[in-house]
Amino acid sequence: MTMRTRPHAAARRGVIGVLVAVLVLLTGCASLPESSAPQALGTLDREPTSDGPPPPISGRDPDLLLRDFLQATATPANRHEAARQYLTPSASTRWDDAAGTVIVEKPDTLRESRGGDAATYVIRARKVGELSADGSYRPSDGSMLENKIEMTRVGGEWRIDELPDGVVMDNAAFAKAYQRHALYFLDPTGSSLVPDLRWVSVPPAERTQRLLDLLLDGPQPALTENVRTVVAPPVALRGAVTKANGDPEEVGVGLGGVRIDLAGAAALAPRDREMLAAQVVATLSAAEVLGPYVLLADGKALDDRFAANGWSVADIEQYTPDAHLRNKIGLFALRNGTLVQVRETGITPVPGYFGGVGNLQSAALSEDGQLVAAVAADAGRATLMVGSYGGNAFPVAEGATISRPTWNSDGSAAWAVVDGERVVRAAADRATGTVSKQDVDISALTAVTSALSPRLPITELRISGSGVRAALIADGKVYVAVVERRPDGRYAFTAPQPLAVGLSTRAVSLSWLSGDTIIIAREGNVDPVVTVSIDGSEQVTQTSQNLTPPMRVVSAALDTWYVADSRAVLQLQYGQPVTTEGFWREVPGLTGENAVPVLPG
């Protein structure tokens, strides 16, 4: 597999089609480049250009024309006007391009019959993924697609006369035509932004408008009940979106910023106005639409503080998902079953219970470092212990096995999996010092609906910084689910999405790398560390230099990744300029198979 060693922020940018082809060829991963993107395929009505799409090549043989058609389907403008040129007029009238979109890998065009004026072909290909009408992506199970195509001559030229409804798109063409972007909504408390990945195919000058339209349309169905949005009715766009100086041309292309007037925003409370700005600025800046962002509410400044110079990314930094991934308390570790703090001056046990015992199997700290959850082993049993840093701990749950704990970013609760089949949430009341436990409903995970549905046991669980998603390993496979808080105060994991479906070995550990990317450690000697986007569309191999499999644990902060392999704990830092050949370095003092990194989260 082609290896990229660079920061996750850079990994969110475009990936050239050649890289996609190499990734798929050498690894068999059913993944797509991170910088492709669809829109509501088949439903977008774009203004045609003066020239229109290029016509089919004259005199093309039917099999070659069919391949050209598969390339043309990657252009969704005007209800796939480019692709419809390859159809007979009657077929174009009948073809419903909005019936669904399937991304396939290396399609074959197989001839069944061919006469003087008629031919029958079969498109056969492995499914890579599917696109919803809202531009969201879902990986496929790799099953085969077979579509029969009837072709005929029209005016001496071969054209498609019969084909199934829906769009079949070659992944290489998809990679060139689409870009993936993140829409940003808010967690239920309104304190953190939640990425919602969509794929869009529009010219650069239309990108800003399209992203704002998608943002106003709201989150994808799986997130609707679990996020907030201020960019919603009665708020609406008021007039044209322009550059900051009012120029309506090439908005969002290069310098010049953007000016957006929002009707209905004047009635919002100050806090809601700030959240609205956070959603808009984060969405546009992530798509490389440069600021300043001049935001108006019914013709007047959305916030007088930013009336003169507009908003910048720094003004909404506290809302960004990455804010929760910054390690504010430093590195900790388990060494010989004891929680220790790792400093440049040395390694010392932490005060209190967690630094005084020697039977801890795993541990996690709250983001502020004030609370600790750990799994203690005794007489063949495991106990989840929760307590304060430097203080005492309380037993919360017991089982034959308990997964590594994980905390909400606000430190309100620790989560873990007992015996691979029961998820518990331990809510910590800081005012009283008490801990209460509740079971989490995982019935949506265990309901088998496809070959990619999760199967027990669940061996790893990590809650995202926003608290809206959970990444997990079930039966060696990777998934991301939505964390749903129900009206009765209980929690459930819903809408499981498979990730990294092309992995050839079992995953053993994972960690959130950013709001939309997960890092995975897996079994085997080849490419033991990979990253994957939360929609499953891209899988990237990371450097394995200096790693000695098997991998045991992976844990990540915003600028540093940690892995425990068979020899030691190693780190990969991205604070320095990235070289073409990054390598993992041992953390001094954390050698041996009994050392494991511990980070907040």
Side-chain angles (χ1 to χ4, degrees):
M1 176 183 275
T2 295
M3 179 179 66
R4 291 188 294 161
T5 55
R6 59 182 181 176
H8 60 82
R12 288 196 294 266
R13 301 191 186 105
V15 181
I16 61 175
V18 173
L19 176 60
V20 180
V22 174
L23 285 171
V24 174
L25 177 64
L26 298 185
T27 69
C29 300
S31 62
L32 294 168
E34 201 169 295
S35 51
S36 302
Q39 281 166 260
L41 296 175
T43 63
L44 303 180
D45 293 321
R46 299 289 171 212
E47 290 297 324
T49 63
S50 57
D51 297 328
I57 298 174
S58 178
R60 201 73 156 156
D61 283 339
D63 60 327
L64 298 179
L65 183 112
L66 186 53
R67 288 188 174 276
D68 293 344
F69 169 74
L70 291 175
Q71 296 292 312
T73 57
T75 304
N78 303 309
R79 299 186 62 244
H80 290 89
E81 178 188 9
R84 289 181 185 275
Q85 296 179 107
Y86 294 80
L87 311 183
T88 64
S90 59
S92 179
T93 300
R94 295 190 306 268
W95 183 46
D96 181 8
D97 60 335
T101 300
V102 178
I103 313 298
V104 299
E105 178 186 51
K106 298 178 182 177
D108 295 325
T109 51
L110 307 177
R111 184 175 68 184
E112 284 198 348
S113 64
R114 177 177 174 180
D117 294 318
T120 301
Y121 281 80
V122 171
I123 297 174
R124 184 180 65 189
R126 187 172 69 92
K127 297 178 183 178
V128 173
E130 297 180 358
L131 291 173
S132 299
D134 62 3
S136 55
Y137 175 92
R138 186 175 181 86
S140 173
D141 60 5
S143 60
M144 298 301 294
L145 172 141
E146 289 196 5
N147 281 356
K148 180 174 285 191
I149 307 294
E150 302 289 349
M151 306 183 73
T152 188
R153 286 187 188 270
V154 177
E157 299 289 347
W158 286 101
R159 293 293 182 264
I160 298 169
D161 193 44
E162 289 187 18
L163 76 165
D165 287 334
V167 173
V168 176
M169 194 184 311
D170 178 27
N171 65 343
F174 176 79
K176 294 177 182 178
Y178 287 83
Q179 292 183 327
R180 193 184 69 196
H181 296 295
L183 307 180
Y184 282 96
F185 299 97
L186 292 151
D187 76 306
T189 68
S191 60
S192 180
L193 290 165
V194 180
D196 182 354
L197 301 184
R198 308 293 182 90
W199 292 81
V200 182
S201 178
V202 290
E206 297 179 24
R207 178 176 50 197
T208 302
Q209 181 70 52
R210 181 59 184 153
L211 292 174
L212 292 172
D213 289 343
L214 286 170
L215 197 58
L216 283 160
D217 288 342
Q220 57 181 284
L223 291 173
T224 300
E225 299 301 321
N226 302 287
V227 296
R228 295 176 59 182
T229 180
V230 187
V231 188
V235 173
L237 290 176
R238 180 175 181 265
V241 177
T242 68
K243 290 189 174 183
N245 64 2
D247 183 357
E249 301 297 326
E250 298 294 305
V251 178
V253 179
L255 302 176
V258 291
R259 178 183 180 276
I260 303 167
D261 195 354
L262 295 159
L268 297 176
R271 166 72 168 161
D272 289 336
R273 294 188 185 203
E274 186 175 87
M275 291 191 292
L276 181 150
Q279 287 188 249
V280 172
V281 172
T283 297
L284 296 183
S285 63
E288 298 183 351
V289 175
L290 303 179
Y293 308 95
V294 178
L295 304 182
L296 306 179
D298 298 285
K300 298 181 179 180
L302 180 70
D303 188 319
D304 289 339
R305 294 175 298 170
F306 309 104
N309 299 315
W311 295 72
S312 70
V313 175
D315 298 323
I316 54 101
E317 186 176 11
Q318 69 272 25
Y319 290 95
T320 61
D322 290 351
H324 297 294
L325 291 169
R326 292 187 177 89
N327 184 357
K328 307 177 184 70
I329 61 174
L331 175 63
F332 290 76
L334 289 183
R335 191 173 65 170
N336 298 321
T338 300
L339 184 62
V340 298
Q341 186 170 18
V342 183
R343 297 188 179 96
E344 291 184 1
T345 55
I347 298 176
T348 56
V350 304
Y353 167 82
F354 297 101
V357 297
N359 65 339
L360 301 182
Q361 295 178 324
S362 61
L365 290 96
S366 61
E367 186 176 307
D368 61 4
Q370 296 301 304
L371 297 175
V372 183
V375 177
D378 186 24
R381 300 289 288 176
T383 303
L384 177 63
M385 306 292 294
V386 177
S388 60
Y389 180 87
N392 296 322
F394 305 93
V396 174
E398 184 178 321
T401 64
I402 298 179
S403 70
R404 178 171 55 148
T406 177
W407 284 92
N408 281 68
S409 62
D410 61 1
S412 60
W415 310 62
V417 185
V418 179
D419 294 330
E421 62 182 16
R422 184 165 65 96
V423 177
V424 296
R425 178 181 181 272
D429 188 327
R430 299 195 184 207
T432 62
T434 59
V435 178
S436 59
K437 182 193 71 174
Q438 62 178 198
D439 286 346
V440 177
D441 182 0
I442 62 169
S443 58
L445 302 187
T446 56
V448 178
T449 58
S450 74
L452 294 179
S453 295
R455 287 175 169 79
L456 300 177
I458 301 171
T459 55
E460 180 87 316
L461 170 66
R462 311 307 293 166
I463 301 296
S464 69
S466 67
V468 171
R469 290 187 173 99
L472 55 99
I473 297 174
D475 193 29
K477 300 184 184 302
V478 180
Y479 299 87
V480 64
V482 174
V483 180
E484 177 182 302
R485 181 173 185 177
R486 294 176 171 167
D488 62 1
R490 305 191 72 83
Y491 288 80
F493 290 167
T494 62
Q497 167 98 332
L499 306 181
V501 296
L503 284 182
S504 58
T505 58
R506 296 169 66 89
V508 296
S509 182
L510 53 74
S511 180
W512 286 95
L513 191 58
S514 69
D516 58 17
T517 308
I518 292 165
I519 185 170
I520 303 165
R522 61 172 176 147
E523 295 177 348
N525 297 321
V526 179
D527 302 333
V529 179
V530 299
T531 56
V532 63
S533 56
I534 58 170
D535 66 351
S537 62
E538 186 187 31
Q539 180 183 311
V540 179
T541 298
Q542 300 300 326
T543 180
S544 60
Q545 282 196 278
N546 285 350
L547 296 181
T548 304
M551 301 296 104
R552 294 178 291 124
V553 173
V554 64
S555 193
L558 192 62
D559 57 356
T560 310
W561 307 350
Y562 297 90
V563 162
D565 68 2
S566 63
R567 299 182 304 109
V569 174
L570 298 96
Q571 63 182 354
L572 188 64
Q573 288 186 306
Y574 284 121
Q576 303 298 323
V578 180
T579 64
T580 56
E581 293 293 334
F583 60 92
W584 296 83
R585 301 176 60 209
E586 286 189 14
V587 178
L590 296 183
T591 58
E593 62 181 15
N594 292 320
V596 177
V598 176
L599 295 177

